[in-house]
Amino acid sequence: QRFSDTLQRLDPVLNRAAAASSKLGHGNNTVIIMVSNQGQSDLLRNFVCAARARALDLSSIVVFATDQATVHLARDELSLLVFDVGHAFGSNMPTQSAAYLGDTTFKVMTMAKVFAAHCVNRL
């Protein structure tokens, strides 16, 4: 039941992703999916800053942000294509990073990554 509910709540994200897919990359069918929450935002910022310092193309990156702080960071500060998917996972979406491999936060964020890949594969 919960899996199908989440898929239904992701439908609007999928529609926005389909509309925005023409903005990704340079027609090479490459999409880099990143899923992040506030607890992982330092890693996201570090990745983007390091890539820009090396003049790497970031136009194929789409960030699936699971909280508003990460939406703001990815869209407004890092100028990445971002989709807000926090609502699709209900009110228990963590904002902190996982404390250890396999804890509840790790599991929920891993599931968000599976759903993000599913969304992109449906394009």
Side-chain angles (χ1 to χ4, degrees), residues 96-110:
Q96 76 280 3
S97 59
Y100 58 89
L101 184 68
D103 73 359
T104 300
T105 298
F106 179 88
K107 291 174 186 175
V108 171
M109 290 304 294
T110 299

Side-chain angles (χ1 to χ4, degrees), residues 48-59:
V48 171
C49 290
R52 287 190 176 141
R54 291 163 180 78
L56 298 178
D57 179 16
L58 301 178
S59 65

Side-chain angles (χ1 to χ4, degrees), residues 12-28:
V13 174
L14 181 61
N15 293 336
R16 289 193 316 273
S21 63
S22 63
K23 297 177 186 176
L24 289 171
H26 299 289
N28 62 8

Side-chain angles (χ1 to χ4, degrees), residues 1-102:
Q1 176 72 12
R2 183 176 170 158
F3 183 80
S4 62
D5 291 345
T6 302
L7 284 178
Q8 284 181 329
R9 288 190 301 265
L10 281 171
D11 278 343
V13 174
L14 181 61
N15 293 336
R16 289 193 316 273
S21 63
S22 63
K23 297 177 186 176
L24 289 171
H26 299 289
N28 62 8
N29 289 329
T30 299
V31 177
I32 300 168
I33 304 167
M34 303 182 87
V35 178
S36 184
N37 68 2
Q38 188 175 10
Q40 301 167 336
S41 62
D42 287 340
L43 297 172
L44 176 62
R45 185 190 316 269
N46 188 44
F47 171 82
V48 171
C49 290
R52 287 190 176 141
R54 291 163 180 78
L56 298 178
D57 179 16
L58 301 178
S59 65
S60 295
I61 293 177
V62 59
V63 176
F64 286 77
T66 62
D67 56 57
Q68 288 304 302
T70 307
V71 169
H72 171 71
L73 170 68
R75 182 187 60 218
D76 302 332
E77 295 181 36
L78 301 176
S79 300
L80 298 172
L81 180 60
V82 61
F83 297 112
D84 179 359
V85 297
H87 66 281
F89 298 98
S91 60
N92 63 346
M93 201 64 195
T95 57
Q96 76 280 3
S97 59
Y100 58 89
L101 184 68

